[in-house]
Amino acid sequence: MTLDLSKSTDPEINSAATVLRELDAVASRTGVEFLVVGATARNMLAHSITGATPERATHDVDIAVGVADWDEVWRLGSMFGARGRHSHRIAIGGIPVDIIPCGAIERADRTVTRPGDFTMNTLGFREAFGSAEWSCSLTN
């Protein structure tokens, strides 16, 4: 199924489209797979069905990436100018993007811990990657 967002005039959808186009270009070159998650995914779906975008508390874009280790996360972040241990948070076109690693990097309890920092629960992300059937047609 394809979400057709190509004619959207909603600023939030257009901002997300800017991020996703840039990210897709890098992902295509590097072989990194990503999945839009969080409020952006919800809003893209809602907008494609109803034409309206729900309100939200934050305006970042959350993406899940299938990676084996933190080096892959940091390498992806560095392609967008991020450096060091905060390379999981990048900006594309001035829009904050959070990279949520999942896949082979996950521990048996389905969590991921950034070295020396916090732990994230990634339960369901692996399954989402395995069953994702939707793509998006984005704005020009």
Side-chain angles (χ1 to χ4, degrees):
M1 175 177 264
T2 299
L3 301 180
D4 185 4
L5 302 172
S6 63
K7 294 176 179 64
S8 175
T9 57
D10 184 280
E12 185 174 327
I13 297 298
N14 293 340
S15 292
T18 297
V19 168
L20 297 176
R21 268 193 302 279
E22 289 277 329
L23 190 59
D24 189 52
V26 169
S28 295
R29 286 194 314 270
T30 62
V32 171
E33 292 185 334
F34 72 95
L35 186 68
V36 182
V37 298
T40 301
R42 177 203 66 199
N43 288 2
M44 290 171 70
L45 181 59
H47 187 78
S48 71
I49 294 169
T50 68
T53 304
E55 289 189 36
R56 58 188 286 185
T58 63
H59 295 283
D60 61 347
V61 174
D62 298 321
I63 58 156
V65 294
V67 294
D69 56 38
W70 280 98
D71 287 337
E72 288 186 55
V73 176
W74 293 325
R75 205 169 14 263
L76 178 61
S78 72
M79 293 178 186
F80 293 99
R83 298 286 179 259
R85 65 191 271 327
H86 294 289
S87 293
H88 67 285
R89 175 154 263 215
I90 60 176
I92 299 175
I95 301 158
V97 178
D98 288 332
I99 301 170
I100 303 164
C102 62
I105 194 172
E106 295 174 23
R107 293 193 299 257
D109 67 355
R110 306 298 298 275
T111 62
V112 175
T113 300
R114 191 172 62 208
D117 209 356
F118 66 93
T119 298
M120 295 177 274
N121 183 327
T122 55
L123 185 63
F125 283 70
R126 189 182 319 157
E127 292 79 6
F129 264 100
S131 63
E133 297 178 6
W134 296 33
S135 62
C136 289
S137 176
L138 301 170
T139 56
N140 295 328

